[in-house]
Amino acid sequence: MHKQAILREKRTVIIFAILAVLLVVSVLLYIYSRTYAKALRLNIVMDKSAFSSIMGRTIPALIGMGAAAVLIAVVSLAFQTITGSRILTPSMIGFDSVFVGTQTVLVFLFSSMSKAFTNPYLNYLIVAGTMVTVSMMMYGSILRSNKNNLVFLLMFGLILSGIVRSGSTYLQVIMDVNDFNQVRAATSVTVNNMNTKIIFIALPLMVAVISIMLARHKIYDVMSLGPDNAKSLGIPYEKEMKFSLFLISVGMSVATALIGSLAFLGLLAVNIARELLKTYKHVYLFIGSAGLAALALIAGQAVVELLQGAVPVTVIIDLIGCSYMFYLILKENRV
Amino acid sequence: MIEVKNLNQSYTKHGKKKTLENINLTVKEKAITALIGPNGAGKSTLLGVTANLIKPLSGMVMINGIDVRNIKTDELAKKLAILKQTHNINIRITVKDLVEFGRFPHCGGRLTDIDKQKVKESLEYMNLVGMEERYLDELSGGQRQRAFIAMILAQDTPYIFLDEPLNNLDIKSSVEMMKIIKSLVTELDKTIVVVLHDINFASAYADYIVAMKNGRIAGEGSMEEMITKEVLDEVFDHDFNIVTHQGRNVCLYFDRTFNRRKIYEVI
Ligand SMILES: Nc1ncnc2c1ncn2[C@@H]1O[C@H](COP(=O)(O)OP(=O)(O)OP(=O)(O)O)[C@@H](O)[C@H]1O
Ligand SMILES: [Mg+2]
């Protein structure tokens, strides 16, 4: 093998090792922040039973955060590959507003007492179904007719989410107070307030989407050469694109329903992974961006807990992500 | 065998302005077919439709008797490789990785020893040894062009379409490229369609010449039939001078007196 290739490989290994160490540290920090740090602050003794009872809540939170972060990173990368853009991520096109909209319409039509709203699984299936359908229709039609027209895609998403959002606000205003409170509670899921009721359907779905995408990393490598090259190398591009969009929609619907909107996490993780790893190979990019996303979310959450911050970690991530996106747009336009 | 039957294509809606009009063509097996014609004649479009990258308006393309649209994309990629006129790749990739992509139709990205051997051969064929680990965006235009052609060679298909492979190549490299293309036919029994703007290369190396103009086939035949003043004047709307050298027709396309007078008039 050539010297450059060996050097590059070494670099990748070192980056992954550092990432792994940081991840472990942040997990430990998160556990510490919720147990001993809290005990110290409240001046109570951390005995075994208290510890294990807190861990009983901390571990699901960790799994939820980790899985959601990995999922968001993986689908964001796949989305960027099939759209041929480094700026777009699926959440920028208003997934959260479709989520809020569907819940609102459900309650408005059938009231907050109905099975469609109270049964977490049924509710999730309806919401996810709507999100998948809407996004497939949207991406499908735009990507097919206007190849790579990112501005159009962004505008369309902006308008759609604007309409859905104001529509749901309107419905929430005219519905009765109890229904309103229920909708609010159901749609204000965040990292601190995960919708753990759906974990048993969410987790397998997340694992499935992540593993299918990872298993197809070679196909994404070829697709990153562009539609024509991919087709001449034997990739049925339209079919692959539709299938990927389906997976992305499913993934985003799970993530949004489980821990709410994390609009900029994917963008941040994927782009930093690209910068660090300097490769087009999706195996590395998938792993790198997944690790970075999990790190950002868990470490951020640990720091927030340690500092007893009133600001949830998502706000911080969105703030950084948003500035980063500005930077990306300015950088791309400079040339 | 590749047969094009009554092919029509249009980029405009409802097929108002036709890019290809009633094309009928049978590609000569195990030979070099040169596709010539002025800019915008529809050469690239014809290759694109034939390789199933562009949808036709009507008509069809048959490969070994099967409509290309009914051949699975991954099967087609083992039969036909196409070098596009422009390659806009927006990823940063090394020469070796690019050439390895050529093996994707055969191995799905998991390279066996045979695949690695083919990649090595293609790199050697295209004179790229020593440049394997260079990034494409750090190469000269001609080196990049050779890297893309190496990828096509690695794909190892019986049919190869090359859209202006001499783009960016200097004279020596162009001659070498044409020799390589020739050897692909004589040594490896490939069937090649190549778009050439330099008619003299078509004259010197092609077994068969197809001329296009305004989306139609303006003529086809052997070198002797096609490289004549009558045919070329008509196809290119230009005043050609044809001389014969070592039994081959050679075109002189420049006309100095004409140009001088023209410039003088402008001044
Ligand atoms: N993607 C496209 N959309 C719309 N029109 C196109 C497209 N590609 C080509 N055309 C038009 O179709 C006609 C044929 O183009 P084509 O690229 O096939 O010509 P060509 O013979 O390959 O020319 P050149 O020698 O310049 O490469 C031209 O008039 C061109 O403007
Ligand atoms: Mg062309």
Side-chain angles (χ1 to χ4, degrees), chain A residues 1-5 8 84-86 215 217-219 221-222 224-238 278-281, chain B residues 52-53 55 73-74 77 80 82 84 88-94 96-98 101-102 104-105 108-110 130 132-135 148 151 155:
Chain A
M1 222 202 286
H2 289 253
K3 217 171 84 188
Q4 292 104 311
R8 278 202 290 273
S85 143
R86 293 197 177 171
H217 67 268
K218 300 257 185 202
I219 293 175
D221 284 350
V222 182
S224 63
L225 294 174
D228 273 351
N229 286 312
K231 257 193 258 174
S232 17
L233 290 173
I235 303 279
Y237 199 84
E238 272 89 43
K278 298 194 193 317
T279 178
Y280 66 92
K281 286 189 178 147
Chain B
N52 203 23
L53 297 176
K55 283 205 174 62
T73 319
D74 53 341
L80 177 101
I82 178 167
K84 304 250 305 166
N88 26 16
I89 285 190
N90 56 7
I91 56 173
R92 204 156 181 269
I93 183 172
T94 62
K96 185 159 169 245
D97 283 357
L98 182 77
F101 270 123
F104 187 85
R110 266 162 285 273
E132 294 96 330
E133 295 301 328
R134 296 270 297 275
Y135 282 98
F148 275 98
M151 172 171 104
Q155 208 173 329

Side-chain angles (χ1 to χ4, degrees), chain A residues 30 34 61 65 188-195 258-262 297-298 301 305 312-314 317:
Chain A
Y30 180 69
R34 292 194 47 154
M65 278 196 288
S188 62
V189 281
T190 61
V191 179
N192 293 323
N193 177 28
M194 270 188 234
N195 182 7
L258 185 69
I259 69 169
S261 160
L262 282 165
L297 199 56
I298 295 172
Q301 191 63 16
E305 295 242 354
V313 65
T314 46
I317 289 176

Side-chain angles (χ1 to χ4, degrees), chain B residues 46-58:
Chain B
L46 178 59
L47 292 192
V49 175
T50 312
N52 203 23
L53 297 176
I54 302 172
K55 283 205 174 62
L57 202 62
S58 63

Side-chain angles (χ1 to χ4, degrees), chain B residues 11 19 38-45 85 164 197:
Chain B
Y11 286 109
T19 320
N39 291 137
K43 306 178 295 293
S44 302
T45 308
Q85 184 172 355
E164 302 192 24
H197 273 303

Side-chain angles (χ1 to χ4, degrees), chain A residues 305-323:
Chain A
E305 295 242 354
L306 276 180
L307 301 178
Q308 299 172 266
V311 207
V313 65
T314 46
V315 174
I316 301 171
I317 289 176
D318 280 357
L319 201 66
I320 299 172
C322 195
S323 337

